[in-house]
Amino acid sequence: MPHDPLADVSTAAMQERGGPRRSPRVVPALTVVSHPVPRRVGTRLLMDAVAAGRSVALSRNGPDFVAPGGSLGLPLADPFISRKPLEFSPAGDGGVRLVVPEDGTHVAVAGVPLHGAHDFGAPALAEGVALELAGRVVVLLHAVELDGEGAADTLGMVGESVGLRRLRRHIERVADLDVSVLIRGETGTGKELVAQAIHQRSTRREGRFLSVNLGAIPKELAASELFGAHKGAYSGATKDREGFFRAAHGGTLFLDEVGEAPPEVQVMLLRVLETGELYPVGASSPVTVDVRLIAATDAHLEEQIRDGRFKAPLLHRLAGYDLRVPPLRERREDIGRLFFHFAREELAALGEAGRLDTEDPHAEPWLPVSLASLLVRAAWPGNIRQLRNLARQLVIGSRGQARLQLDSQLDEALGAPPDAVAPVAAAAVKAPVPDAREPGVARRKPSQVTEAELLAALRASAWDLKAAADALGIPRPSVYDLIDKSPNLRTAGDLGADEITRSFEACGGDLDAMVRALEVSKRALGRRLKELGLVAKGT
């Protein structure tokens, strides 16, 4: 099975990986992970202005979020996101500064509220930061390479991350060349989908595509399964066996987990790759086959070569063109689209395909903010396979519910955020504020909350407005509105300088005691003290 273009293709691959090339333009972006209108998931805002040194103001009314490769878009348009904009501007070393205005949209990272200005450096943008807006919308702040944007053919792969676009370009370059391909990637990344995409765009697309997992074949049977066997060649061989290579004649054979090939099979693979001939087990004459071989592995074959477990010449033949499938943790901007893609498939199987067709911006998000944020921050050791299984578990486990529910078992399965992500939240806030939402509290309309309930919630949460909002099941901005409408409640801005000074002296400068006495927001009262030149204890 000789293939003349091998040297040229290998050279092209090396140039793509390491040769001189034009550096792509990188800009910060916001990609929608969860939204009350599900079709908005995956749309994004490219913040070219920030890359150019200017600021971008984000509110419910603008700017527009556009599907990758599209031209028309829509603003976030969630009625609970404030008209008072968040501001994104350049920070040092390629980072982004986010300014959260007072009394504007509530913003959190990993459930921890953000207040004022926060810088997210280039490493945080490379990893991605999930920003939770108004408890209803999640957008991922991340970096985007504009090189190769807007390719028309997705090759059947969901997503527009940098790594996925690069993979598509490699597939398009090698698909119509009759060379062997080695696909590397962690378990569950979708290596077989890549192999199918190569086959469908090759000159062999009319031929068969056979997929074989070498790790699932007993080692003593691997040779006969792949290359065939004559009747009587071994105990149990009661008839001639064709073998996968001959069955795939004129088409493509995909060998997954090729690193599991026994030594004798490695020798036979090398021969068929070099000559196009194979010897069925028990045969004395060769059989010619015309098969394109695509192999895949999650193993480090170079390490296996050093340990004497894999043959270097075979690796060189398998890797006529070498592809890498990125793990899901390198595709965080794709997670929202992937999750909804799998969820729609599961809902369709349950006869509930229309569940995600709502266009009502006032609707409660089907994918809750806390869950969406957790999906983006998870480590995903099982990659896309794990995400698909989780989507199935959530959809089935939440049948009959208005929203998806994450039980403790699934929460544990997702695990803690990766080390690279966790510091983002820690750096964004000085002291995490615990979530005061009572388990099972349903979302409510602010008009349903009485003044007595509001006051009780504020007192129970020590006048932490976010915690009170969660306990009441309403957005945080609505707490401000209810306070404004309540004649018996006030804000720190309503307090006179004399009253604050008297309380400061009476409480001995204890800010917590002042909050209890004056019954106003601790954060807002702290700012008033600073304005008056008073330094409270513990600040």
Side-chain angles (χ1 to χ4, degrees):
M1 199 164 51
H3 30 271
D4 296 333
L6 174 60
D8 292 339
V9 175
S10 296
T11 301
M14 288 188 292
Q15 289 176 344
E16 171 69 14
R17 289 193 296 270
R21 61 190 294 262
R22 178 179 56 85
S23 297
R25 191 161 66 96
V26 178
V27 301
L30 295 171
T31 294
V32 177
V33 176
S34 181
H35 192 282
V37 178
R39 68 177 177 83
R40 302 295 309 280
V41 172
T43 60
R44 71 186 181 192
L45 170 65
L46 296 176
M47 296 191 287
D48 304 73
V50 174
R54 303 189 303 275
S55 297
V56 171
L58 176 68
S59 72
R60 77 169 74 161
N61 297 323
D64 288 350
F65 282 67
V66 182
S71 57
L72 300 176
L74 293 169
L76 289 176
D78 185 281
F80 295 91
I81 292 178
S82 175
R83 294 185 180 89
K84 183 181 291 186
L86 307 172
E87 183 179 283
F88 294 87
S89 59
D93 299 324
V96 171
R97 170 166 295 174
L98 167 63
V99 177
V100 182
E102 174 64 18
D103 298 345
T105 298
H106 174 259
V107 181
V109 172
V112 181
L114 302 186
H115 307 294
H118 303 276
D119 288 354
F120 299 98
L125 295 186
E127 188 67 38
V129 182
L131 302 177
E132 304 160 15
L133 308 181
R136 293 171 52 83
V137 174
V138 176
V139 293
L140 186 72
L141 174 63
H142 62 105
V144 168
E145 289 185 9
L146 297 185
D147 184 33
E149 282 283 293
D153 192 349
T154 64
L155 308 185
M157 303 174 188
V158 176
E160 287 296 332
S161 57
V162 173
L164 189 60
R165 294 201 315 272
R166 185 177 296 123
L167 176 62
R168 288 184 185 129
R169 291 198 295 271
H170 280 297
I171 292 172
E172 289 169 342
R173 288 167 183 165
V174 75
D176 62 343
L177 301 176
D178 204 19
V179 299
S180 56
V181 177
L182 178 62
I183 305 172
R184 302 182 192 244
E186 297 176 7
T187 180
T189 51
K191 296 186 288 294
E192 184 169 350
L193 181 63
V194 173
Q196 290 173 341
I198 293 172
H199 173 73
Q200 290 299 325
R201 285 151 188 82
S202 74
T203 57
R204 299 172 177 267
R205 67 180 67 90
E206 301 302 326
R208 299 183 69 183
F209 175 88
L210 292 183
S211 176
V212 180
N213 188 330
L214 280 177
I217 301 177
K219 293 186 183 300
E220 62 272 14
L221 297 178
S224 61
E225 290 288 331
L226 290 175
F227 305 105
H230 280 188
K231 179 181 177 180
Y234 57 89
S235 178
T238 58
K239 60 181 180 179
D240 289 346
R241 179 182 294 273
E242 181 182 42
F244 288 114
F245 265 96
R246 283 190 284 177
H249 184 76
T252 302
L253 179 61
F254 173 58
L255 293 184
D256 199 4
E257 296 191 35
V258 72
E260 298 295 319
E264 65 275 12
V265 170
Q266 293 183 36
V267 173
M268 299 172 79
L269 280 174
L270 181 58
R271 177 178 177 82
V272 74
L273 283 168
E274 289 180 337
T275 68
E277 294 181 342
L278 58 84
Y279 281 86
V281 176
S284 57
S285 58
V287 175
T288 301
V289 291
D290 176 21
V291 175
R292 183 184 195 175
L293 185 65
I294 301 177
T297 184
D298 60 1
H300 195 299
L301 296 183
E302 288 80 4
E303 186 175 296
Q304 291 188 193
I305 289 172
R306 288 194 295 270
D307 295 341
R309 292 180 289 126
F310 202 84
K311 298 184 179 299
L314 177 57
L315 172 59
H316 300 152
R317 279 294 178 179
L318 290 173
Y321 199 77
D322 205 326
L323 299 181
R324 176 182 178 270
V325 184
L328 192 54
R329 63 180 175 274
E330 294 179 10
R331 301 177 51 192
R332 296 192 186 277
E333 62 265 48
D334 293 337
I335 288 176
R337 286 187 63 191
L338 281 165
F339 179 82
F340 275 89
H341 172 76
F342 296 139
R344 284 187 174 91
E345 290 182 343
E346 297 303 325
L347 288 169
L350 295 174
E352 300 179 22
R355 169 68 73 87
L356 300 181
D357 292 340
T358 180
E359 294 289 330
D360 181 8
H362 293 82
E364 287 298 317
W366 182 72
L367 175 60
V369 158
S370 58
L371 177 52
S373 181
L374 182 58
L375 292 178
V376 176
R377 299 185 342 259
W380 297 112
N383 291 291
I384 294 176
R385 183 185 295 120
Q386 182 185 6
L387 178 61
R388 178 192 286 274
N389 291 340
L390 179 76
R392 178 182 298 116
Q393 184 80 6
L394 284 168
V395 169
I396 295 175
S398 302
R399 292 184 70 183
Q401 304 293 322
R403 301 196 299 166
L404 292 178
Q405 306 291 325
L406 179 66
D407 60 31
S408 58
Q409 183 178 357
L410 288 178
D411 196 359
E412 184 178 345
L414 279 175
D419 292 340
V421 179
V424 172
V429 289
K430 300 300 182 184
V433 179
D435 192 342
R437 178 188 291 274
E438 292 294 328
V441 173
R443 301 293 290 186
R444 307 166 65 190
K445 294 180 179 179
S447 59
Q448 297 174 326
V449 178
T450 66
E451 182 177 322
E453 285 179 293
L454 175 62
L455 181 58
L458 289 167
R459 286 172 174 168
S461 62
W463 289 82
D464 182 322
L465 304 193
K466 166 66 166 59
D470 286 343
L472 292 168
I474 61 176
R476 182 184 176 208
S478 298
V479 173
Y480 290 107
D481 295 336
L482 291 174
I483 291 174
D484 288 340
K485 296 175 182 176
S486 301
N488 298 317
L489 298 177
R490 56 185 181 169
T491 66
D494 299 326
L495 303 177
D498 290 343
E499 184 178 6
I500 293 176
T501 302
R502 287 195 301 270
S503 179
F504 181 86
E505 293 172 350
C507 296
D510 187 326
L511 181 57
D512 290 327
M514 293 181 66
V515 168
R516 290 191 296 270
L518 296 172
E519 296 197 324
V520 293
S521 164
K522 180 177 180 179
R523 185 165 58 91
L525 181 58
R527 284 196 301 273
R528 290 297 309 277
L529 290 176
K530 289 182 180 179
E531 291 171 1
L532 296 172
L534 301 174
V535 180
K537 292 180 180 178
T539 61

